[in-house]
Amino acid sequence: VLRNANLQDASLVNADLSYANIVLTDLKNTDLTGANLVGTNLSSLHNLSFATFANNPYNHETQFPNNFNPQA
């Protein structure tokens, strides 16, 4: 579990975040290009504005925040 972390402006390019539970974490401006999100719980992130998502593997177990479209 990653809780209450400040990862603003971090580079998580190609990080393996599979099955991680990321709670109340600030990902503003974070680059998550290629990060493995299979089974990851991102449903209660604190801030996801301007984060970069591209080419991320995820599956039916991956939980995204409300109103977040991983394909947008």
Side-chain angles (χ1 to χ4, degrees):
V1 174
L2 180 63
R3 181 181 300 275
N4 295 323
N6 181 353
L7 297 177
Q8 278 191 14
D9 303 309
S11 175
L12 297 176
V13 173
N14 297 320
D16 184 0
L17 301 175
S18 58
Y19 296 95
N21 188 9
I22 303 173
V23 181
L24 300 175
T25 295
D26 190 342
L27 294 177
K28 182 178 181 182
N29 293 321
T30 299
D31 188 353
L32 291 140
T33 301
N36 183 351
L37 302 177
V38 171
T40 305
N41 182 356
L42 301 167
S43 64
S44 60
L45 290 175
H46 176 67
N47 189 352
L48 195 56
S49 58
F50 306 108
T52 303
F53 288 86
N55 303 316
N56 301 97
Y58 62 93
N59 65 4
H60 68 280
E61 296 176 289
T62 306
Q63 298 175 39
F64 292 102
N66 290 337
N67 302 317
F68 179 79
N69 181 355
Q71 298 176 343

